[in-house]
Amino acid sequence: MTDAPSIPDAIAALAAGVIPRGVLRFASASERGATLVGDYTPVDGMLTWLEDVGRLELRVDSVWVVVAVGNRAWTTVPLASGWTQNGNSQGTFQYRVVNLFGEDSIMFRGGISRSSYPTTIPGYFELNTTALPTTARPASLRTITVPCSDIGSSRISLKMDVTTAGWIRLYGISRPSDLPVWVGFNGCFTSL
């Protein structure tokens, strides 16, 4: 109590004491459930951080809802023969798993290109040479639309499937008039 009065110092001290405690931190959801009981029962509006899954959750209508996830790095898709990265200068074809609206989803970015096609066009092109890891595989088949060049193709979009086994398959390249020089994935995502 010998310090001179200072409102800025008092606010800084208050903030240093309150802000780190504004979000409750737990090792896991089970630790949170075991801790927030009795007088500490969770109420709507509480925020918690779960270390094991790197997730911020908000209590809404008596349930925990995902607000955000930790940093999720992009992973490059290893391409099948004939395809090259950075189609139409859109960057490397990559994916990452994120949590959107409380649901794990796979997000894509980048582009691929192809300078020639086989004489006999298959029913689909499998784009990846290695299956996606289990954490990036959907519970059931997911189909999304992806853009493609109209140069070399009478189409401007194609169908892409992400299979439960982790394969990324491209459909819609079936006629000599449908041979796009690039396919893009920026902004494409689907729930897992």
Side-chain angles (χ1 to χ4, degrees):
M1 301 307 272
T2 59
D3 295 344
S6 170
I7 290 178
D9 288 345
I11 291 172
L14 178 65
V18 172
I19 290 174
R21 291 166 181 80
V23 175
L24 304 172
R25 298 170 190 271
F26 298 98
S28 65
S30 58
E31 181 192 32
R32 175 182 64 196
T35 305
L36 298 179
V37 295
D39 290 341
Y40 302 104
T41 299
V43 296
D44 286 355
M46 279 185 156
L47 276 173
T48 63
W49 176 259
L50 302 178
E51 286 292 330
D52 61 342
V53 290
R55 197 163 58 211
L56 184 65
E57 294 186 354
L58 174 67
R59 188 76 171 190
V60 177
D61 294 331
S62 300
V63 295
W64 293 106
V65 178
V66 175
V67 176
V69 295
N71 183 23
R72 302 282 175 95
W74 289 96
T75 301
T76 299
V77 175
L79 292 178
S81 178
W83 297 99
T84 57
Q85 296 283 7
N86 198 27
N88 197 36
S89 300
Q90 295 184 67
T92 302
F93 181 29
Q94 297 178 313
Y95 72 91
R96 69 178 175 171
V97 175
V98 297
N99 193 292
L100 297 173
F101 317 111
E103 180 176 73
D104 282 341
S105 301
I106 187 167
M107 179 181 278
F108 297 97
R109 74 176 181 185
I112 58 175
S113 60
R114 190 170 189 116
S115 58
S116 65
Y117 284 87
T119 306
T120 303
I121 304 292
Y124 62 85
F125 285 91
E126 203 150 76
L127 298 181
N128 48 335
T129 57
T130 305
L132 297 170
T134 305
T135 57
R137 296 178 189 178
S140 61
L141 181 69
R142 299 292 189 249
T143 298
I144 57 178
T145 303
V146 295
C148 67
S149 70
D150 58 356
I151 297 172
S153 178
S154 61
R155 310 175 67 123
I156 58 168
S157 64
L158 301 169
K159 172 187 161 190
M160 185 175 85
D161 281 351
V162 182
T163 71
T164 58
W167 299 106
I168 302 170
R169 295 179 175 159
L170 195 61
Y171 294 83
I173 302 171
S174 57
R175 303 173 301 186
S177 62
D178 295 329
L179 306 176
V181 295
W182 61 263
V183 179
F185 305 95
N186 292 313
C188 297
F189 67 93
T190 186
S191 64
L192 294 176

